[in-house]
């Protein structure tokens, strides 16, 4: 009986000692970092500082496409049928800047809206704006895109919706209609000819950025 009692104490002591050692090791062991855990303030700041200057914008009308606006354009809040409005800085020598409005849920189809935009321009020589307009259709990232380029006297209203129409000579239209999965998205940029020439490549880059 004495031998068995001593043996039992030895086993109990060994088990207690092992438990204490495991607890001590667990306290010092490194903790696993999972993807659910919040980033530290320093890592969050690093992520924010490395974010791109522009981000894809998704129109509120449910058109299911995104695009990336030029960094130097000033974005305005969406309003009504306008999914976005961008103010284009004036080029050197121009007093006024330009505006790029993005519309959804207009209706009427592609060509009817292109014709309406063309009808907002007059030619100084009395000629046909429709004959002068440069129009083409291409495929960009799987979407059919119809573009129009026209210069003349613009009489299609002011920068803000609801402003009365005033004649603006030597203005240019760069327009595009993207046939998205849930309907057309309309990009209409107007402004002084020099400002539009300076922003033309940016407008094209924005169209090339269109994605689902």
């Amino acid at each position: 009986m004495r031998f068995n009692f001593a043996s039992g104490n030895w086993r109990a002591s060994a088990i207690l000692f092992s438990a204490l050692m495991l607890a001590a090791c667990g306290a010092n062991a490194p903790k696993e970092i999972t993807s659910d855990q919040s980033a530290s303030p320093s890592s969050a700041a690093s992520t924010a500082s490395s974010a791109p200057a522009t981000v894809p914008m998704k129109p509120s009308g449910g058109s299911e496409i995104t695009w990336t606006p030029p960094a130097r354009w000033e974005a305005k809040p969406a309003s009504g049928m306008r999914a976005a409005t961008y103010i284009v800085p004036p080029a050197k020598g121009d007093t006024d800047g330009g505006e790029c409005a993005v519309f959804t849920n207009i209706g009427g189809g592609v060509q009817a809206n292109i014709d309406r935009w063309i009808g907002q321009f007059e030619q100084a020589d009395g000629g046909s704006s429709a004959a002068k307009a440069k129009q083409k259709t291409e495929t960009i990232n799987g979407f059919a895109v119809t573009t129009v380029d026209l210069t003349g006297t613009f009489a299609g209203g002011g920068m803000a919706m609801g402003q009365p129409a005033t004649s603006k000579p030597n203005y240019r239209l760069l327009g595009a209609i993207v046939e998205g999965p849930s309907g057309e998205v309309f990009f209409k940029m107007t402004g002084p000819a020099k400002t539009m020439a300076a922003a033309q490549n940016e407008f094209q880059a924005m169209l090339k950025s269109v994605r689902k």
Side-chain angles (χ1 to χ4, degrees), residues 32-40:
E32 181 181 2
I33 304 295
T34 69
S35 58
D36 309 292
Q37 291 175 300
S38 300
S40 66

Short mmCIF file of all heavy atoms in Angstrom, two decimals, residues 32-40:
data_model
loop_
_atom_site.label_atom_id
_atom_site.label_comp_id
_atom_site.label_asym_id
_atom_site.label_seq_id
_atom_site.Cartn_x
_atom_site.Cartn_y
_atom_site.Cartn_z
N GLU A 32 -2.04 33.75 -33.77
CA GLU A 32 -2.28 33.72 -35.21
C GLU A 32 -3.12 34.93 -35.62
O GLU A 32 -4.11 35.25 -34.98
CB GLU A 32 -3.02 32.43 -35.58
CG GLU A 32 -3.27 32.31 -37.06
CD GLU A 32 -4.02 31.03 -37.39
OE1 GLU A 32 -4.35 30.28 -36.46
OE2 GLU A 32 -4.28 30.81 -38.57
N ILE A 33 -2.70 35.62 -36.68
CA ILE A 33 -3.44 36.75 -37.21
C ILE A 33 -4.32 36.24 -38.34
O ILE A 33 -3.84 35.62 -39.27
CB ILE A 33 -2.48 37.85 -37.75
CG1 ILE A 33 -1.50 38.27 -36.65
CG2 ILE A 33 -3.26 39.03 -38.28
CD1 ILE A 33 -2.14 38.94 -35.48
N THR A 34 -5.61 36.51 -38.26
CA THR A 34 -6.52 36.06 -39.30
C THR A 34 -7.00 37.25 -40.12
O THR A 34 -6.85 38.41 -39.72
CB THR A 34 -7.74 35.36 -38.69
OG1 THR A 34 -8.54 36.33 -38.01
CG2 THR A 34 -7.32 34.28 -37.72
N SER A 35 -7.59 36.95 -41.28
CA SER A 35 -8.06 38.02 -42.16
C SER A 35 -9.26 38.74 -41.60
O SER A 35 -9.62 39.81 -42.07
CB SER A 35 -8.42 37.44 -43.54
OG SER A 35 -9.42 36.44 -43.41
N ASP A 36 -9.92 38.18 -40.56
CA ASP A 36 -11.08 38.86 -39.97
C ASP A 36 -10.68 39.98 -39.04
O ASP A 36 -11.47 40.85 -38.73
CB ASP A 36 -11.94 37.88 -39.15
CG ASP A 36 -12.28 36.63 -39.90
OD1 ASP A 36 -13.03 36.72 -40.86
OD2 ASP A 36 -11.82 35.57 -39.49
N GLN A 37 -9.45 39.92 -38.53
CA GLN A 37 -9.05 40.88 -37.51
C GLN A 37 -8.84 42.25 -38.12
O GLN A 37 -8.42 42.39 -39.26
CB GLN A 37 -7.76 40.41 -36.82
CG GLN A 37 -7.99 39.17 -35.95
CD GLN A 37 -6.68 38.65 -35.39
OE1 GLN A 37 -5.79 38.29 -36.13
NE2 GLN A 37 -6.58 38.63 -34.08
N SER A 38 -9.15 43.27 -37.34
CA SER A 38 -9.00 44.64 -37.82
C SER A 38 -7.54 44.97 -37.96
O SER A 38 -6.72 44.57 -37.15
CB SER A 38 -9.66 45.62 -36.84
OG SER A 38 -11.04 45.31 -36.71
N ALA A 39 -7.21 45.78 -38.98
CA ALA A 39 -5.83 46.21 -39.18
C ALA A 39 -5.48 47.25 -38.13
O ALA A 39 -6.32 47.98 -37.63
CB ALA A 39 -5.67 46.80 -40.58
N SER A 40 -4.20 47.30 -37.78
CA SER A 40 -3.74 48.31 -36.84
C SER A 40 -3.84 49.68 -37.48
O SER A 40 -3.89 49.81 -38.69
CB SER A 40 -2.28 48.02 -36.46
OG SER A 40 -1.45 48.19 -37.60
#
